[in-house]
Amino acid sequence: MIIMQDDKRIRISNLNELIKSCKKCPLHLNRTNAVVGNGNIDTKIMLIGEAPGRNEDLQGIPFVGSAGKLLDSLLNENNIKRDDVYITNVVKCRPPNNRTPNKEEIDSCLPYLIEEIDIIKPEIILTLGRTAGEAVSLIFDYKWEGLEKERKKPREVMFNGIKIKVFSTYHPAAALYKPELKELLREDIKEANQILKNKHKSLLDFMK
Ligand code: URA
Ligand code: SF4
């Protein structure tokens, strides 16, 4: 067990070194820092955003700007701290003026996200916004049916022998400006957390 955890740590630190010096797509040209995943690598919950923004680029940490603050507060409502989850992005370098990353950039960066999923082995993935939802549908090879539909139907996928439940929800940056989206994001985070809690409660019951 300890060997496996060490293995995880070694793999994530090797991966992060690769990302920090990556020049596979033009986004490396304007970055201050590549933004690697952050949080608990032994977690069961992985959150995936779109791309670093200005604050993230400056600090090299995902979701530290205003969208991140909103995300933190919605997680806190469920007693989830930043250190309880792992947070990363589809692309690791900031697109100029925060534009949506294009297909070439996403394709270049996706192997890093795949490796992160393989290292962390989460039970639940929560994708934030359309870019993340679509990118994850490419990885697990299902047809993306749009955020409205996807958020009502969590996907269950098999990935390298593990079962993962994928929830798609809105991006906290969108929720900052639209109160109705904030409520839906709040509901979705609550539901994902509840499913995880129920599952582990019943597992514990079974082991009694
Ligand atoms: N938006 C994202 O998608 N990711 C971040 O890290 C910050 C803002
Ligand atoms: Fe490399 Fe991804 Fe940064 Fe492009 S966005 S340079 S693929 S780390």
Side-chain angles (χ1 to χ4, degrees):
M1 191 60 188
I2 288 174
I3 291 172
M4 269 174 66
Q5 286 178 356
D6 284 351
D7 183 49
K8 262 185 160 182
R9 275 159 190 74
I10 292 166
R11 283 180 69 193
I12 206 86
S13 99
N14 289 344
L15 175 68
N16 290 346
E17 287 314 306
L18 270 181
I19 293 172
K20 285 179 199 161
S21 57
C22 177
K23 295 184 175 168
K24 280 201 295 176
C25 87
L27 291 183
H28 81 273
L29 292 168
N30 295 306
R31 75 178 171 220
T32 315
N33 292 292
V35 176
V36 299
N38 175 265
N40 187 340
I41 62 169
D42 299 314
T43 187
K44 296 181 169 46
I45 312 185
M46 180 164 175
L47 276 63
I48 305 176
E50 175 175 310
R54 182 167 181 276
N55 291 294
E56 291 76 20
D57 172 71
L58 291 174
Q59 294 184 44
I61 303 170
F63 284 100
V64 287
S66 47
K69 301 267 181 310
L70 172 60
L71 182 61
D72 282 348
S73 85
L74 294 176
L75 291 172
N76 283 338
E77 287 177 14
N78 295 282
N79 291 321
I80 303 172
K81 296 183 297 299
R82 182 64 82 102
D83 271 358
D84 296 328
V85 298
Y86 180 87
I87 305 187
T88 191
N89 283 302
V90 173
V91 300
K92 315 305 189 204
C93 304
R94 181 192 183 200
N97 302 316
N98 298 345
R99 66 161 170 75
T100 305
N102 64 37
K103 186 178 180 315
E104 288 69 33
E105 292 155 358
I106 292 173
D107 287 348
S108 306
C109 216
L110 219 49
Y112 297 135
L113 182 59
I114 295 171
E115 176 70 0
E116 285 175 292
I117 297 172
D118 191 51
I119 295 170
I120 309 284
K121 302 196 185 345
E123 288 183 19
I124 285 184
I125 288 179
L126 186 64
T127 66
L128 304 168
R130 181 182 61 82
T131 304
E134 249 185 313
V136 166
S137 77
L138 287 178
I139 296 176
F140 297 132
D141 200 23
Y142 56 81
K143 187 175 176 305
W144 173 253
E145 292 184 349
L147 195 41
E148 302 273 294
K149 278 197 185 160
E150 292 291 341
R151 69 172 284 271
K152 296 194 192 90
K153 81 168 184 204
R155 303 271 189 168
E156 212 159 76
V157 298
M158 287 301 291
F159 177 76
N160 295 352
I162 54 163
K163 203 191 277 178
I164 306 178
K165 205 150 184 155
V166 182
F167 291 79
S168 306
T169 188
Y170 296 102
H171 195 288
L176 274 178
Y177 304 103
K178 292 194 180 159
E180 68 276 18
L181 293 191
K182 181 169 158 184
E183 277 321 300
L184 298 177
L185 177 60
R186 174 179 271 134
E187 276 173 28
D188 292 349
I189 291 176
K190 192 170 164 191
E191 189 189 334
N193 184 46
Q194 204 56 48
I195 285 180
L196 193 64
K197 267 168 79 178
N198 289 344
K199 185 169 166 213
H200 284 279
K201 184 167 169 292
S202 55
L203 246 186
L204 283 177
D205 287 348
F206 177 72
M207 284 160 68
K208 262 188 207 159

